[in-house]
Amino acid sequence: MPLPETQIPGRLQAYFSERGIRITQQRRAVLRVIETATKHLDASQILRKVQRVDASVDRSTVYRTLQLLKRHGLIDELDLMHIRGEGHYYERKMNREHIHIACLRCGKITEFVTSTYDKLKQQVEKDCHFKILVSRLEVGGYCSACRQ
Amino acid sequence: MPLPETQIPGRLQAYFSERGIRITQQRRAVLRVIETATKHLDASQILRKVQRVDASVDRSTVYRTLQLLKRHGLIDELDLMHIRGEGHYYERKMNREHIHIACLRCGKITEFVTSTYDKLKQQVEKDCHFKILVSRLEVGGYCSACRQ
DNA sequence: TTTCTAGTTGCGACTCGGTCGCATCTGCTG
DNA sequence: CAGCAGATGCGACCGAGTCGCAACTAGAAA
């Protein structure tokens, strides 16, 4: 019998409890929003979604949780070429790093995975004697629809 | 690995006068600072350097000039993995796009040019039917010195 | 050389993303 | 179930960047 959905700890929550990081109601809500997000969210969007579950959650709690996740390498921070505003977008860290392709006209974000990216990072590590922990490749331009 | 200084001084100003963009004392000072910079500067560093020449230049003039340069594709805007603060860094657009490698411990920024990067961008254009105008690849990790 | 004006500037007020200090509260372990 | 380290909410704060407006100026035209 599977547990009811609210009791299934997500991957992020599992990571927290394994490491003895305290899981609070507020954190659980933030993690849930990030885990179930279908697109890139910025901090204020995350806050709004969290507050639909628990209206008392504060901005700073969301920011602090995002910092925590970033420090543990569980989320990636994106700029998305500053298409809308100056803030950052967040997404769960995926198994495979991918390229973010942002259309400067319609604002659509596409993700693209290719082994060439992995090769490029390997080359940087070798040629520059550098240990890569995070990388971010963002591309801006016009998608095929907008070029018509 | 650092790029050679191949830029002819005054190119930005030349671009302006060719296009009939008004050249003011303030703009001249900002362009000069950007053209003679030996490292990546953020807006407030540019302002400080400009004010050493003309103390009356205002923040907003620097920001407006940076916007102008960005719009004309004459400078690149960098995040540099937010090593110090949230602001942006600027550099003259080079002939060849390069990767920015930021050491998360000592803060050193290295630039790296490779044809693999060009190939990767070509692949994105082809596979995603996307016209790339700007791209930004930033890498964070530990340099060889900091790993000792 | 002087005149004229569209474009630029300085200023101050503002927005917005993000941080911090502090009093209060709460997961968690014993 | 008690104790407390660590998390939260709140409000003040910070720094980056923007904007409206009156004053100024580069540079074309006379």
Side-chain angles (χ1 to χ4, degrees):
Chain A
M1 260 287 262
L3 291 163
E5 192 180 319
T6 50
Q7 288 177 29
I8 302 167
R11 257 183 43 197
L12 296 179
Q13 195 175 318
Y15 180 98
F16 272 32
S17 52
E18 277 163 28
R19 311 254 166 160
I21 300 169
R22 188 176 294 179
I23 296 164
T24 61
Q25 282 208 346
Q26 295 87 331
R27 283 187 180 167
R28 195 170 320 178
V30 173
L31 300 190
R32 186 135 219 99
V33 166
I34 291 170
E35 277 174 333
T36 60
T38 55
K39 60 189 186 72
H40 305 99
L41 302 173
D42 64 20
S44 66
Q45 290 170 324
I46 293 170
L47 176 63
R48 230 175 303 135
K49 277 175 182 280
V50 166
Q51 288 186 333
R52 287 215 281 269
V53 179
D54 178 350
S56 71
V57 175
D58 191 73
R59 255 157 32 99
S60 53
T61 300
V62 170
Y63 280 113
R64 286 192 271 237
T65 307
L66 288 172
Q67 272 184 346
L68 184 65
L69 289 164
K70 217 179 358 168
R71 265 207 309 282
H72 286 267
L74 297 170
I75 54 170
D76 276 321
E77 187 184 66
L78 310 170
D79 258 47
L80 297 181
M81 310 308 279
H82 301 293
I83 283 187
R84 327 164 246 264
E86 292 290 325
H88 297 118
Y89 292 81
Y90 298 92
E91 68 175 4
R92 258 164 48 214
K93 196 145 198 150
M94 297 302 188
N95 316 331
R96 189 92 179 273
E97 274 187 308
H98 49 262
I99 303 166
H100 286 97
I101 300 168
C103 179
L104 300 175
R105 193 163 162 274
C106 68
K108 197 176 136 206
I109 308 296
T110 313
E111 295 178 353
F112 182 59
V113 173
T114 169
S115 63
T116 315
Y117 190 23
D118 300 318
K119 278 202 211 94
L120 176 55
K121 284 187 290 178
Q122 277 168 30
Q123 194 189 334
V124 167
E125 294 211 317
K126 193 163 138 283
D127 293 5
C128 302
H129 310 289
F130 193 88
K131 175 65 191 163
I132 296 180
L133 294 178
V134 281
S135 75
R136 183 161 73 178
L137 173 49
E138 294 178 354
V139 159
Y142 294 121
C143 70
S144 54
C146 287
R147 256 178 306 139
Q148 305 299 310
Chain B
M1 278 170 274
L3 239 51
E5 292 274 340
T6 52
Q7 211 73 294
I8 304 147
R11 242 186 65 184
L12 296 179
Q13 197 175 316
Y15 181 98
F16 273 31
S17 51
E18 277 163 28
R19 311 254 166 159
I21 301 168
R22 188 175 295 180
I23 297 165
T24 61
Q25 282 208 343
Q26 296 86 329
R27 282 186 180 168
R28 204 182 328 249
V30 174
L31 301 190
R32 187 138 220 97
V33 166
I34 292 170
E35 278 175 333
T36 60
T38 55
K39 61 190 187 68
H40 306 97
L41 301 173
D42 64 20
S44 66
Q45 289 170 323
I46 293 170
L47 175 64
R48 231 176 301 135
K49 276 175 183 280
V50 166
Q51 288 186 332
R52 285 215 282 268
V53 179
D54 178 351
S56 71
V57 176
D58 191 73
R59 263 159 21 104
S60 53
T61 300
V62 169
Y63 280 114
R64 286 193 273 237
T65 307
L66 287 172
Q67 271 185 346
L68 185 65
L69 290 164
K70 214 174 9 164
R71 266 207 308 283
H72 282 83
L74 298 170
I75 53 170
D76 276 321
E77 188 183 65
L78 311 169
D79 258 47
L80 297 182
M81 310 307 281
H82 300 294
I83 282 187
R84 325 163 246 264
E86 292 290 326
H88 297 119
Y89 291 81
Y90 298 92
E91 68 176 4
R92 280 167 319 176
K93 198 147 198 149
M94 296 302 189
N95 316 331
R96 190 96 179 270
E97 273 187 310
H98 49 264
I99 303 165
H100 286 95
I101 301 168
C103 179
L104 300 174
R105 195 165 159 274
C106 68
K108 197 176 135 207
I109 308 296
T110 312
E111 296 176 351
F112 181 59
V113 173
T114 169
S115 62
T116 316
Y117 190 23
D118 300 318
K119 279 202 211 94
L120 176 55
K121 285 187 291 178
Q122 277 167 29
Q123 193 188 335
V124 168
E125 293 212 315
K126 192 163 139 284
D127 292 7
C128 304
H129 311 288
F130 193 86
K131 175 66 192 162
I132 296 180
L133 294 178
V134 281
S135 75
R136 185 161 71 179
L137 173 49
E138 294 177 355
V139 159
Y142 294 121
C143 70
S144 53
C146 288
R147 259 179 304 141
Q148 305 299 311

